[in-house]
Structure formats: C-alpha cells, structure tokens
C-alpha cells in the first residue's frame, strides 16, 4: 500500500514535471500556430543575435565628430557668404544684422518720386509702413529698406508694369546689392508660364511675394504674403462673417466653387477637372469658359452648358452658405478667393500644389484650412465629409481669428510681414508658434514684454495657469499743493487694507517734488513713489516696479472702500484680459452728426471703464506704450480724458469683448461732484466722473473718440448691458451673511 | 480555484473522520495538488508572456549572418543624386497612398539582405542595432503592411544611419536594385550622421534620386521643406543610463558645455565667457588621465575635477549644444534627457522634427556670431519660462528622442500628416507635455463672439405628466419675444400627451414620446430632438417652475455664450470632516453651479452631453433620476474652464427655500444624493472642474436711483 502510494505520487509528479517543461510549449504551439504563422513570417524578424549587433556609431564618434583640421567657424562663415547668395540667400548670409543693432528694428521707405506712378495697393503698403511703429525717415537708423518703386505687378503685359527697374535701382546709393531690402510683389511672370521672374535683379533683397512656389521660396528669408485686392482697406477692415458658432457647423452646401475653367495652359489641369465633383446637391462646382478675349476659339462641348449653370448661382451667396470652399490655383498659385473664403468662414480647401502658404512661417494653416492635393481632387468630397463636426467648428473659428488678426487690412498684412522679419533678428525674443496661432494673435502679443506665456493675460486657460493672487495699486497724483491731500490719504488707507494688495505705487506727476517719505502714511504694504512727467500717457508706462499681473489704476481723487477693491479684484481674476472697474461710460453712433458720440450719463449700456478706478493686466501698459505709435500717444496727451478711451479701445481691439463694470457703493457717486471743481489747469487731468466735467472736455472727448476710431480703422469698442455684483448684492438676506455687506449700504 | 481547494483541504479531515477513507483523502489531496499544479502550469505557460514567447518561435529563428547575399556588379546602375527641388507634389506618388477611412499610410519594409561587391567585399555593416530597432518599431506599428502592392511608403533595410560606415557608390547601387525603387519614389531613408571629412555635407551623400530623407543634421540649404524630415541624432547613452526627471528649482550651474571636441575657436569663446562670469559657467572637456576601464564617454573633466556624464547635465540650467563638424549633435538628446535647456548654436541647422515641434518653447537658439552675448541673452529669460522650458525639453526627449522607436514613429506620423492633412495631429498634441494637456482646456467655442440678438432661442421643457403646470410654463415661456421654438420632452412612457396638446401653444411644439424616462433626457437629444433645435441657444425649464424667464438672461448669455447662464445658483464645498464634496443650496456668497431649471446655454453643450459625457455619468443620472443638471455644470466647466454666470431672477422671494426651483430639494436625503452626485462626477472627471465665483450678473442700472421706466430691464429683482 505504502509503495503503491509512493509510485502513484511519483508518476503524477513526473508527468506534471514533464508537462511543465514540454507540454506547455506543445500546447502553446497548438494554440497559436494557425493564426500567427502566416503574418509572422513577413514581419521584421527578431534576430537571434540582435543583441550582439553593433551600434550605428561608436560612442566616441557620436560625442566628437570634430576634426580641428577643417575650416574654423570664422572661415566657414566667410566661405558661406560667397557661396550662398541670390537664390540661396538666408538671413545669415544675405542680411546685415549689424544694421539693426544700434537702433533696433527700424524700417525706412525710399522717398516717393512724383513722376513715378504708384499703384493704389503699393501706396497702401507704403502708408502702412509709415504708420507702423518701426518707421524711420532716417536711412542711417534703418535696418530694413523698402523701395518706392512699385514692384507689385511684374507682369510685363500689365499696364502697371514699370520698366527699367534695374537701372533705377542701380542709381540708389542705399541699394547695396539689395542687402536689407524688402521687395513686395503680387504678380510675377506672364502668359504662358507665369514664372517667378520679376524682370529685374533683386540681388540679396528679401522678397515678400504672393503666390510663392515652395521651390523658389528661400526659407527663413522670403515671406509669402496673400494676394489682396485693390480695394482692400488700409486699416481696420471688415470683420468676418461668422456671427455665432452654429451646431452642427453645417451650412446649406458642403463644398462650393464658382470660377473660371482654363481649357489650356498652366493651371488648367485642376481648373478643367473641378466640374467633375459637382453633384448639384450639397457640392456645387461651377465653371465658366468665358474669360479672355478669344475664349470661343478654345471652347469645348461643355462650355455652353456650363455657362448656363454658372449664371444660376451667385458667388457671394455660395460663399455665405457653404461649409467648405475650394480654393484652386489659377494661372498663378494664389487667388483672391483665398482671403474671401477666409473672411466668409468658409473653410478653404486648397488645391494649389507647391504654394508656400501666406505667412506659413508663423501661421499653422492646418488649423484653419484643408490643404488638398491637386492630384486627389476626386477624393476631396469624401475627405471633407469625413471631417468631424467638432473639427469643422474649430476650423471655422480659426478662419475668423486669422482673418481678423492678419489679413483684414493692408496694415495687418504689412505689419505681420514686418513682425515676422523682426522675430528673425532676435530669436530669443521672438514669438513661438503658439503665440501666432492663438487669440489675440502675434501682432498683439509682444515678445518684448515677455516670452513666458503665463505673463500674458490671454493664455491662462490653455496653459492651465492662473493670474497672480495680488495686485499693485497705481495712484497718479497730480495735485499742485505739494502736500498730501485728504482723498489720497484715505485712498491709500482703503487700498492697503485689501488682503490682495501687494504694493502701492504713486506716480508723482506734479511740478513740486513729492513729500519726504516720513509724510506718507504708514501702510502694511510697501509704498513707492515714482517721479513722473506731466504727460497723461505716463500713466500707462510699463514701470519695472509693477511686478504683479494685476494693476489697480487709481487717481488721487478716487474714493473707494476696501471691500469694493476686494470684490473688483476677485472679479478681475475671472476676467484677466479685460478692464474691470467702477465708473462706466458709453459710446454710440450719432446719426444726426454722422459721427461717434460719447456719453457719460447713466445709460443701460457701457463700453468704457474709466481708468481712474479700474483693474487691468499690466501687459496693457506695455501694449499701450510699445504697440501704439508715438503720434497717437501725443494725441492723447493733448486731449482731455482721452487716455481712458484709448486704453479701452486698445483692450477691446485685443479682446473683442466689453469691459466689466462691478458694483460700487452709492456714496461713491455722490462724492463725485466735490472732486470736479479742481483748480489745476492740467488739460489731461483724468476726471473721476466726466459726467460733471465742463462742456469743453466733453467735446474734446468726442473728438478724441472719432480720431481714435479713424486710427483703428473701425470702432473697436463693444457694449455690455451688465454689471457684476456680489452674489447676495441687495438680496433680502441678513447683512451678516454677506461677504461684501459694505457694498449694500 | 485556489481558494476553494484550500478550503476543502482544511475541512477534509473534519468532514470525513473515518480511518477507512484515509487513503481516499490522501489520493484526493494528491490529485487536487496535481490538478492545481497543472492549472498553474497552464496559466503560467500561456498567459503572462504568451505574446513575447509566441514571437520567439513563430518568427523564424535566424541570425543576421544568415541573410541572403546579393552581389552587386560593378556596372549596376547608380541613382541620380538627390533632387533639391523635390516636394511632395512633384516627387511623391500620392496615388499609392489612396484614400482610406483610417487616414493611415501603409509602410513596407524590404527584407534584409547582405550586399557585396564583385570581389565579395561587403558594402556596409549589414544592419546596426539602432536600425534594427527602428525597423522593428515600424513593423510593430499600425503603419506596417506586408503587402508590397498596397504600400505607400517603402523603407529599405539597407542601413544608412551612419555615412562613415558605408561605401557610397555601392550603397547607391544596392538601393537602385530594390524591387520597387522606381527612381526612389516613395522611398524613405533614415540617416543620422551625414557627410564625411573634409567638408561634411549636411545631407547623406549617397545618391538617392527622389527618395525622401529622414536626416539628422540638415542645414537650410539641403533640407527640402515639406519633403524631408529632420530627425535627431540618437544617443545610445539614453538607453544605458537612467536619468530620472528632475523637478524645477535652482541648479548649480547656469551654463554648461559638455562637448569634447569643440573647435578651439569655440572653446576659447566659451572660456572667455567663463572668465567673465565665473563659477556659474562650467566648461567641460575630455578627461586626460582616466584610469583604464573607465569609459571616456561617461566622464568629463574640468581641470582636475571629474564629472559623470550625462548626470552632470542635470546640474545646469542651460546646456550649450554647439555645432561640430556636423550640425546635428547627439549631445542634444542627452541634454534634453537631463531636462537642461539646450542653447543651440549652429547657424542654419534645421532642428529635429522642426516641422511640428515648437523649439522656441524648449530651447534658446543663438547665432554663432552672438556667442559672446550668450550670458546676457540667457539672463533675460524669465525664471518661470526656464522652468517651463526644462519641462518641455524633458517631454521632447521622452516623446521624440528617447528611442529609435520614438524617432521612427514621429517621422512616419509627420509624413502621414502631410498626406492626410485633414486628420493631422494638432500643434497641441505634438507640443504640450502631458501635465499641460491635463490641466489646460481648449474651449471649443474659443472665438469671442457676441451672437446677434435676433437669433432667438429654443426652449426645452421637460415634463412627466403634470399637464397643468406644463401649460402654465408654456404660456409663460411663449411670452418671451425671442423664443423661436419650444421643445417639450414628454417623459412619461405610460401616458400619451393630452389631446389637442399642440393646438394650445402658438409656437412650434414637438413632443417626443417614448424615450426612456429620465431626467437626462433634457440633454439627451441625440437623435431627433438634437437636430430639431434650430437656434444655437437653448434654455431648459424644469417643472414645476415658479420663476419666469427674463430677457435679461438672454442678454447675459449673449455676452457669455460659452457658459451656463441661469439661476438659482448652487455651490459645492469641501467637507473637511467627511473628506468629500458637499452640495450647498443655502444662500452663500459664492456660486459654482446654476440649476438648469431655467438656464441658457449653447446648443453645443447638448451635443457634448449626448456624445461626450465621460464615463458612466449618463447611466448614473438615469439610474438616480437626478443630478442631470450637476452633470451639465461639470461638463461645461470641464470643457471651457470657465465658471457659470448666475443672473438675478426677475422676481425674488423672501424666504430662501421658496426660490429653490428643484422643489424636491428640500429634504435632507435629497441633499445627500446631490452631494453624492458631485463626488461621483468629480471622480469620473478625475478632477473638480467647477469654478467658484463670487459675482452675479445684474443689469447695469440694477437698484440704482434711476427711473425704472428708463431701464432696459425694469423691476428686476423686485419682491
């Protein structure tokens, strides 16, 4: 019995062991054999000796490939200068950086020659440069030069073609074989090949050209600009046509095209095939042969039928009612259609192989357009049908953002060109692709302010960050008394009582020196006095002392309580890109006078928040001082209470949103009349409440408003009908429950 | 099984105590042990490593030395030199890629062969470890196809990673005789070390005709933008040495240079910097007196001080990556791995994957001529940005530099994105590190728009069977001028809506019957009703509703179209005692939710609620017949990152309880349920997306001493 047991036990144990070593493998083979074998053989094999394979380079080689005998860096750079010229120009070989060092990025335009005709578009471009903050009339200071010879149309069959450009250029003493020059061009080459030839030697000049071929584009040197029409506005520009985000983002038509069909010649490959995708339902693709003088000579069998269909649809109507718009190449690569579709929020489907897209160095077109392939035209309908609605919605919004940020006026196109060049000069102070492609766009996000995204008011949500938890109170003192008045003392007390206050800065804009430090009230937060000039625009200078994101801009006569300040700051943290403040005013269109009007009366609307008591982001100080041209700031210094309007317009132009008014105590308003009769004659005196300001100030404000609108090109201010109050404001709840009970009184 | 048998064993003796059955117990125990063993064996054999082990034997066990030999005749054709004007639309055959719903290109890999010239001398090292890893990665990826006829992209198995390790002419001949070569169309070559002495070309010198080149070390003159792909020079050190990520914080050195074979001219410039700025700049060099056995590549020296490489890179804020004979340097990979911000000094160098990666966020590029100013340039970088750059650098390494697999897949993805641009990976996906992706929001309604007043809104009224109050609400709602459509969700499966229901209301009325009864229906407008909402603005009204709609809410929504706008407001609080979230309906100074009893919101959020609600929240809502509004608040806050806007109701009630629109919410159990919902949702979302604010929207002249008749929203908030 005992032995039998032992044997059985042993046998079982043995068989178990056997199974363990071999059976598993056998069974495994059985289980996986059939399905795995077929494909596994063709997969990249797992070499038995793959762990013995040698590395592609031995570590020494990777860490030191240097060979001191070869050219020294200096010699190599010199050698490159002679090799990489003309068609192989790059910034480091064809651009003289040293010209930009002393005066920074300054652009000079050659004086216009009376006898030399200039096209409307080119004169707009020159005006844009002269309007820009980089303009200099002094060639000595200049880093970049722009010719006064109209080089936009270089099609020698065109009436605007200018002859003998070469000769003229050679006569310019500043030409220097084109170094540091920027040449604008919209049309190059002519029938039949429409080459990139400009008809003159551009030498080492940079080319800002529409319809650029990638092959001839010198990356990092040239700039591709969009083709824009003659009547493209100088400044401001029309807004996009998307007024609301529709869900689902579909419009009447899916895909449309209406345009010329080329039967022969360059570009006909695509244009002649477009009619194939027309289905009469959601895809409308209409072509006509009617163009040129002798179209009937080339006409084919389709032409007559097409021409009839062509007239049935209106181009503008199609543009408005389609989700996608085909933007095919014409004779040249770019077309007006591109900007038209962009403005119409009709997502461009590009069929223009080899086109270096406008500003592609900065703009990520993958977010706003479908870059199709001419050869795959017939796949376009199914491809766009497959694009997810959420992506379509994002595309539509991005077209509007790009249109408004970079394309809606000649100013924007030219300034974008200049900013791209400027970014190349100081790589470490340049915009990342993120800045270019996120609201409010590269023109309004200044890398000189900071290259850190968290320092701007716009990107907190995208970066998952939040604005700083403290603010800087910034008080502008203008009293002539030379001593501290009661209001300013009260104000300092109230502000320093706020738990969010980090520091108080006093901008002493009086002729008399500020009182000695002993005279200032004792505060828990540091108080600094900055000596300022009497200019009003000084108020918005980006003082290095302002360290917090939030600035509470105050006037010495402002009266605020601590809880008002606290509440406004808490609200501002929810809206860091806007102006949050107390006293509001409103603009309106005065139909009788045909101009913008301005009111400080109590109205149901507001569009301006006075900066005598307002929170805003310190970035706007930089924007005000650096983005706006000097002339505009001088205008503000000369007119009463104009700086408020300009600041509000600037912020509204950036955000496209109204400012925010918050609750304030009643007493505040009643206190206002006492402040008015101030005897200081300073015209630029910001008033706590212009409701009571003398009529002369009032008309000056009207003037200011209209002059500023003229500069912006359109009215950037946006109206709001709201005020943000504490949650329990004036509610029938015990005062003890209210956090901001003081505001209720 | 294990558990059950164990129980049996312990119980055995007690259950069967008789001596006679002793053997049986023995056998049974023995048998169960063996059975257990067998099962365990089976599991052990099949389960945990079935995938690897199956590869071991199903894939032929072959050695690299056994691959077929191909003899290249001396006069076999050589491809043309690379064509600098090649672009996707000229040299690439897109027809091969075709349209496919997955939007993925198919990649074929030629099988490995050993090439020898006429005299039997091998053309190159058959395959390097890295190239083998790269091809393995491609063959394991979804891009891979074994069908040469369906392939869109061809990857030769001829290893050209290092130009120094191959014979140029013969390699070119080997390429030309590939079965689908066709002038190199749609062929992709990977090269990391291009050029050779003395002039070190910046692109692979092997004639390759139209083939695409994924190259490390391109200059702007050799890189064909939109055609070639710039890739990093892989550093095998990263596989050997584990350098854990280092958190933000001050580092010992400000600038560090670790390269060994810098040109004397560069070195003297660096030393000048060091002389000027002292300790904060560290210039390392090769060690001269290392004892035998210590690998020189793992050590760096400064005078007599010896440092471990690459660990020393972690001690510095900025690390210099200077060009050498080649533009691309393997040290870039080491620097990124250490989370050190690379200072790239290599004029005209095309940075790795520059087509998709935003290097300005991870590096500082300084022109060679500006080297003397390096210190002041770097000093001007804000501290917070440095921290972000360090994080970004490390993320680039982890995602795109770490292994040959990462390099291969990123390269293929870039080419894929060119062919299917409408399905391309976004800038954010390429560039945002996971931490940012997690904490950031990308608002789907990001464009600041104030929708036109004229558009009107669709009201959605949810009802069960309280017809009386339904009619009252409908009458009330239809008084609002901007109403364009009224949608009644009839939520009772057992009862039809009353006869003549539709004739009583002047506005178009759609009754949706027989959808499963749930409160979530209000947002679950997936099939029919979702399309029926014509305007982009929705409002929901729950019964019984004592509050009335005001024109004010509509105006508030216009100014905040991407938010939930409504009343009454509610708050979530952290209960420190219970250590969980709590729902609060008392009158508080803060708001984080609005009840959707009367809330305006964009129609887009209906779509999101229906299709994009994470986890099982919708089921939870249906099962509990509650909290659909909290779920909506979570969803909107999570996707926009913004708070709700509470609006002053037109009429106010004296007692706080009366305003509670959810009439059910009075009792304690309800509060507990609502709190539970918040906790449940917070765990599903993995975070608390709700934003607490202290403000409310009122009309500009609210409660101001101003004639009511002149106000646009008169008598708001009266008793």
């Amino acid at each position: 019995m005992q032995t039998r047991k032992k044997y059985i036990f042993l046998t079982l144990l043995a068989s178990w062991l056997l199974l363990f070593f071999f059976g598993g493998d056998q069974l495994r083979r059985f289980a996986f054999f059939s399905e795995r074998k077929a494909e596994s053989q063709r997969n990249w094999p797992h070499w038995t000796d793959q762990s013995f394979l040698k590395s592609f380079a031995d570590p020494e080689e990777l860490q030191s490939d240097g060979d001191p005998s070869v050219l020294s860096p200096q010699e190599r750079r010199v050698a490159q200068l002679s090799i990489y010229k003309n068609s192989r120009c790059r910034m480091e070989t064809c651009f003289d950086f040293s010209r930009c060092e002393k005066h920074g990025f300054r652009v000079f335009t050659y004086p216009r020659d009376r006898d030399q005709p200039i096209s409307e578009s080119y004169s707009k471009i020159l005006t844009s440069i002269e309007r820009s903050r980089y303009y200099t009339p002094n060639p000595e200071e200049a880093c970049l030069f722009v010719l006064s010879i109209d080089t936009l149309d270089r099609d020698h069959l065109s009436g605007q073609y200018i002859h003998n450009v070469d000769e003229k250029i050679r006569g310019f003493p500043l030409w220097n074989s084109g170094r540091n020059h920027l040449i604008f061009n919209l049309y190059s080459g002519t029938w039949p090949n429409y080459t990139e030839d400009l008809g003159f030697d551009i030498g080492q000049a940079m080319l800002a050209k529409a319809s650029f071929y990638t092959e001839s584009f010198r990356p990092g040197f040239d700039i591709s600009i969009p083709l824009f029409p003659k009547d493209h506005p100088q400044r401001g520009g029309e807004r996009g046509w998307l007024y609301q985000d529709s869900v689902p983002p579909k419009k009447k038509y899916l895909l449309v095209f209406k345009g010329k069909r080329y039967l022969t010649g360059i570009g006909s490959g695509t244009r002649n095939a477009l009619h194939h995708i027309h289905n009469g339902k959601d895809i409308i693709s209409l072509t006509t042969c009617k163009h040129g003088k002798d179209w009937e000579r080339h006409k084919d069998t389709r032409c007559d039928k097409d021409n009839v269909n062509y007239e049935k649809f209106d181009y503008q109507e199609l543009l408005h009612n389609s989700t996608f718009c085909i933007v095919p190449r014409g004779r040249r690569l770019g077309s007006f259609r591109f900007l038209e579709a962009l403005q119409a929020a009709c997502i461009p489907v590009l069929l223009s192989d080899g086109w270096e897209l406008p500003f592609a160095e900065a703009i990520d077109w993958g977010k706003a357009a479908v870059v199709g392939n001419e050869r795959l035209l017939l796949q376009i309908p199914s491809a766009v049908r497959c694009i997810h609605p959420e992506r379509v919605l994002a595309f539509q919004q991005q077209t509007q953002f790009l249109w408004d940020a970079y394309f809606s006026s000649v100013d924007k196109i030219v300034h974008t060109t200049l900013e791209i060049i400027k970014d190349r000069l100081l790589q470490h102070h340049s915009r990342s692709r993120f800045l270019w492609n996120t609201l409010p766009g590269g023109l309004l996000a200044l890398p000189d302010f900071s290259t850190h995204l968290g320092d701007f008011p716009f990107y907190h949500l995208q970066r998952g960050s939040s604005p700083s938890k403290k603010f800087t109170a910034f008080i502008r003192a203008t009293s002539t008394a030379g001593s501290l008045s009661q209001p300013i003392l009260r104000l300092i007390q109230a502000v320093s009582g706020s738990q969010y206050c980090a520091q108080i800065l006093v901008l002493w804009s009086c002729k008399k020196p500020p009182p000695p430090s002993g005279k200032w009230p004792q505060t828990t937060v540091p108080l600094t006095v900055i000596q300022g000039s009497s200019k009003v625009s000084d108020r918005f200078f980006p003082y290095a002392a302002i360290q917090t994101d939030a600035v509470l801009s105050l006037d010495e006569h402002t009266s605020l309580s601590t809880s008002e300040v606290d509440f406004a700051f808490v609200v501002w943290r929810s809206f860091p890109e806007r102006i949050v403040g107390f006293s509001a005013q409103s603009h309106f269109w005065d139909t009788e006078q045909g101009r913008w009007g301005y009111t400080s009366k109590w109205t149901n609307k507001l569009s301006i928040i006075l900066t005598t008591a307002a929170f805003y982001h310190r970035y706007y100080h930089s924007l005000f001082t650096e983005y706006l041209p000097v002339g505009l700031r001088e205008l503000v210094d000369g007119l009463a209470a104009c700086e408020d309007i300009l600041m509000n317009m600037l912020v509204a132009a950036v955000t496209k949103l109204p400012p925010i008014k918050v609750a304030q105590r009643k007493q505040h308003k009643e206190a206002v009349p006492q402040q008015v009769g101030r005897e200081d004659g300073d015209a630029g005196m910001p008033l706590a409440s212009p409701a009571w300001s003398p009529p002369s100030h009032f008309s000056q404000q009207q003037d200011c408003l209209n002059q500023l609108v003229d500069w912006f090109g359109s009215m950037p201010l946006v109206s709001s009908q709201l005020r943000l109050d504490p949650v329990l404001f004036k509610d029938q709840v015990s005062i003890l429950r209210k956090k901001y009970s003081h505001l209720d009184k | 099984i294990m558990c059950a048998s164990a129980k049996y064993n312990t119980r055995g003796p007690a259950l069967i105590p008789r001596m006679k059955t002793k053997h049986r117990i023995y056998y049974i125990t023995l048998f169960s042990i063996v059975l257990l063993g067998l099962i365990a064996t089976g599991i052990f054999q099949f389960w945990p490593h079935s995938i690897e082990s199956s590869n071991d034997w199903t894939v032929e066990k072959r050695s690299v030395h056994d691959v077929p030999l191909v003899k290249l005749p001396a006069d076999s054709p050589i491809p043309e030199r690379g064509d600098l004007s090649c672009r996707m639309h000229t040299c690439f055959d897109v027809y091969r890629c075709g349209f496919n719903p997955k939007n993925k290109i198919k990649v074929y890999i030629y099988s490995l062969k050993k090439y020898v010239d006429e005299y039997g001398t091998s053309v190159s090292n058959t395959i390097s470890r890295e190239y083998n890893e790269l091809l393995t990665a491609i063959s394991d990826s979804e891009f891979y196809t074994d069908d040469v006829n369906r392939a869109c992209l061809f990857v030769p198995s001829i290893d050209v990673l290092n130009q120094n390790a191959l014979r140029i002419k013969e390699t070119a001949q080997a390429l030309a005789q590939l079965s689908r070569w066709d002038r190199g169309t749609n062929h992709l070559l990977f090269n990391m070390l291009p050029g050779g002495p003395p002039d070190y070309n910046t692109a692979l010198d092997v004639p390759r005709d139209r083939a695409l080149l994924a190259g490390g070390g391109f200059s702007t003159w050799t890189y064909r933008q939109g055609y070639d792909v710039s890739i990093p020079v892989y550093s095998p050190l990263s596989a050997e040495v584990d350098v854990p990520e280092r958190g933000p914080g001050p580092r010992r050195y400000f600038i560090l240079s670790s390269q060994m074979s810098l040109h004397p001219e560069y070195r003297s410039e660096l030393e000048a910097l060091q002389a000027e700025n002292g300790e904060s700049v560290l210039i390392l060099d090769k060690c001269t007196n290392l004892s035998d056995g210590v690998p020189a590549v793992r050590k760096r020296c400064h005078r007599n001080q010896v440092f471990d490489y690459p660990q020393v890179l972690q001690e510095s804020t900025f690390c210099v990556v200077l060009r050498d004979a080649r533009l691309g340097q393997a040290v870039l990979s080491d620097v990124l791995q250490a989370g050190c911000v690379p200072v790239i000094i290599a004029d005209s160098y095309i940075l790795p994957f520059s087509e998709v990666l935003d290097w300005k966020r991870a590096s500082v590029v300084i022109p060679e001529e500006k080297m003397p100013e390096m210190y002041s340039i770097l000093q001007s970088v804000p501290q917070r940005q440095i921290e972000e750059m360090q994080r970004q650098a490390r993320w680039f390494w982890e995602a795109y530099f770490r292994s040959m697999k990462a390099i291969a897949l990123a390269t293929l993805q870039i080419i894929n994105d060119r062919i299917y641009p409408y399905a391309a990976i976004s800038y954010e996906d390429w560039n945002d590190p996971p931490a940012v992706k997690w904490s950031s929001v990308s608002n789907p309604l990001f464009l600041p728009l104030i929708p036109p007043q004229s558009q009107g809104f669709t009201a959605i009224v949810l009802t069960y069977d309280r017809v009386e109050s339904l009619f009252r609400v409908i009458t009330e709602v239809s008084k609002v001028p901007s109403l364009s459509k009224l949608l009644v969700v009839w939520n009772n499966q057992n009862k039809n809506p009353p006869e003549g229901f539709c004739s009583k209301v002047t506005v178009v009325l759609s009754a949706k019957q027989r959808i499963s009864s749930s409160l979530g229906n209000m947002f679950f407008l997936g099939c029919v009703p979702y399309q029926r909402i014509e305007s982009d603005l929705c409002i929901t009204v729950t019964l019984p509703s004592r509050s009335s709609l005001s024109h004010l809410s509509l105006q508030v929504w216009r100014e905040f179209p991407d938010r939930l706008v409504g009343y009454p407001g509610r708050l979530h609080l952290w209960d420190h005692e219970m250590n969980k979230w709590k729902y609060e309906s008392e009158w508080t100074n803060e708001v984080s939710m609005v009840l959707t009893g009367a809330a305006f919101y964009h129609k887009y959020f209906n779509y999101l609620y229906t299709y994009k609600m994470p986890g099982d929240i919708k089921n939870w809502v249906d099962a509990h017949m509650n909290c659909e509004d909290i779920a909506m608040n979570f969803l909107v806050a999570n996707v926009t990152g913004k708070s709700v806007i509470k609006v002053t109701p037109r009429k106010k009630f004296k007692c706080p309880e009366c305003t509670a629109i959810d009439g059910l919410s009075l009792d304690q159990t309800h509060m507990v349920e609502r709190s539970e919902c918040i906790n449940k949702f917070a765990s599903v979302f993995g975070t608390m997306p709700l934003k607490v604010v202290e403000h409310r929207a009122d009309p500009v002249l609210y409660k101001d001493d101003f004639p009511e008749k002149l106000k646009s929203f008169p008598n708001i908030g009266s008793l």
Side-chain angles (χ1 to χ4, degrees), chain B residues 399-598:
Chain B
Y400 311 112
F401 281 71
R402 185 185 198 116
S403 60
M404 290 305 286
K405 180 180 176 179
I407 295 170
L409 296 185
T411 308
L412 292 184
Q413 189 61 49
I414 288 173
I415 297 172
N416 195 75
D417 286 357
R418 292 179 191 160
I419 293 166
Y420 304 109
Y422 38 83
I425 288 184
S426 68
Y427 169 92
E428 284 75 18
D429 286 337
W430 281 109
N431 288 289
D432 285 350
V436 171
K437 275 180 195 144
W438 180 241
S439 61
S440 67
V441 290
S442 57
N443 188 352
L445 308 172
F446 62 84
L447 193 70
L449 286 174
I450 295 192
Q453 206 143 21
S454 55
Q455 70 148 152
F457 64 93
T458 302
I460 307 167
V461 183
L462 180 76
T463 183
Y464 188 70
D465 63 352
R466 280 175 274 196
V467 183
E468 284 297 298
S469 43
L470 172 69
F471 283 151
R472 201 164 42 75
V473 166
I474 288 174
T475 328
E476 191 116 9
V477 167
S478 32
K479 277 185 208 155
V480 183
S482 346
L483 181 72
S484 68
K485 191 164 190 174
L486 186 71
L487 204 67
V488 174
V489 181
W490 186 260
N491 228 345
N492 192 338
Q493 285 172 302
N494 309 318
K495 207 166 152 188
N496 284 342
E499 294 287 317
F501 186 70
C502 306
S503 59
K504 286 209 175 183
V505 208
T506 47
V507 207
V508 191
L509 190 80
S510 5
K512 174 69 185 160
Q513 241 183 305
R514 286 183 291 276
I515 354 174
S516 74
S517 174
S518 77
L519 285 167
N521 271 343
M522 189 179 281
F523 310 113
F524 188 80
L525 300 158
C527 356
V528 188
Y530 166 58
Q531 269 76 23
R532 286 205 178 168
I533 305 173
E534 276 160 5
S535 42
D536 290 315
L537 170 60
C538 294
I539 178 170
T540 54
V541 184
T542 326
L543 292 176
S545 165
R546 238 181 289 177
S547 70
S548 52
L549 300 164
S550 70
H551 201 60
L552 174 65
S553 304
L554 187 63
Q555 176 59 29
V556 176
W557 179 81
R558 284 184 61 227
E559 293 189 25
F560 300 100
D562 54 348
R563 304 189 189 217
L564 270 177
V565 170
Y567 48 86
R570 290 289 180 268
L571 184 67
H572 72 284
L573 289 169
W574 182 253
D575 189 334
H576 286 285
E577 282 167 32
M578 308 286 284
N579 237 352
K580 58 183 199 178
W581 294 108
K582 197 177 120 201
Y583 179 77
E584 179 64 65
S585 68
E586 285 287 297
W587 283 37
T588 54
N589 286 292
E590 290 162 325
V591 173
S592 65
M593 291 175 272
V594 290
L595 299 187
T596 49

Side-chain angles (χ1 to χ4, degrees), chain A residues 120-129 152 184 228 410 414:
Chain A
E120 204 178 323
S121 296
Y122 199 64
S123 117
K124 279 180 187 168
I125 289 178
L126 293 179
T127 310
S128 288
I129 295 171
L152 286 187
F184 285 91
F228 60 88
V410 178
V414 171

Side-chain angles (χ1 to χ4, degrees), chain A residues 247 390 455 725 731 733 740, chain B residues 384 587 612 652 694 698:
Chain A
V247 177
E390 274 177 62
D455 287 342
D725 293 335
D731 276 351
V733 198
Y740 302 101
Chain B
R384 283 193 296 167
W587 283 37
K612 293 291 163 79
K652 280 192 179 161
E694 299 184 6
D698 291 332

Side-chain angles (χ1 to χ4, degrees), chain A residues 551-566:
Chain A
V551 177
L552 170 58
S553 171
L554 296 166
D555 203 48
E556 67 178 310
H557 303 283
T558 313
S559 121
L560 282 178
S561 69
T562 306
S563 59
E564 279 171 310
V565 169
D566 280 349

